[in-house]
Amino acid sequence: EVQLVESGGGLVQPGGSLRLSCAASGFIFSNYDMSWVRQAPGKELEWVSSSSSGLLTTYADSVKGRFTISRDNARNTVYLQMNSLKPEDTAMYYCAPGSRYWGERLGWSQRGQGTQVTVSS
């Protein structure tokens, strides 16, 4: 059974930083691309970033230069370092196995319970 447990969210002021973690189990983590997606209130799921099994990273234009995805295959964990946070980054953040291509086609149906990030002064 695939399990994904996100953590690290919270309330932060604009310009602040947070580091999200996602602990995965139930599949061979190192063989899979891993992605972060987010959902703001009243909006659809939005792809944020992906780390391929070959450690290539991609980012949405809205977070490029501010967010960094990384992974520790020994710990079956993917991270999202978020710097220079803006109010528009406020959302529930989820991790999911798979690339952006497949995730969007499958509606990101396999994701964790999420961790809330709120950026507000």
Side-chain angles (χ1 to χ4, degrees):
E1 179 187 2
V2 172
Q3 289 193 323
L4 303 154
V5 180
E6 300 95 339
S7 61
L11 173 63
V12 63
Q13 292 187 342
S17 298
L18 284 173
R19 188 194 195 205
L20 307 184
S21 300
C22 169
S25 61
F27 61 102
I28 302 174
F29 182 82
S30 59
N31 287 356
Y32 279 76
D33 297 354
M34 292 296 297
S35 296
W36 286 95
V37 297
R38 65 186 182 186
Q39 188 167 30
K43 295 190 176 181
E44 295 186 350
L45 282 167
E46 174 192 20
W47 172 76
V48 174
S49 181
S50 295
S51 172
S52 76
S53 58
L55 303 183
L56 294 176
T57 58
T58 51
Y59 299 93
D61 286 344
S62 59
V63 307
K64 199 172 294 183
R66 299 188 297 122
F67 290 11
T68 302
I69 190 172
S70 61
R71 61 193 294 164
D72 184 341
N73 287 340
R75 296 178 183 270
N76 287 359
T77 301
V78 60
Y79 305 97
L80 187 68
Q81 177 67 43
M82 306 187 296
N83 298 330
S84 302
L85 283 161
K86 304 176 181 180
E88 51 263 44
D89 294 319
T90 295
M92 186 72 78
Y93 283 71
Y94 304 90
C95 68
S99 65
R100 178 184 185 184
Y101 178 88
W102 286 113
E104 289 182 342
R105 278 152 183 77
L106 299 176
W108 301 106
S109 57
Q110 198 166 53
R111 61 185 188 270
Q113 84 291 345
T115 186
Q116 177 67 40
V117 172
T118 302
V119 185
S120 175
S121 55

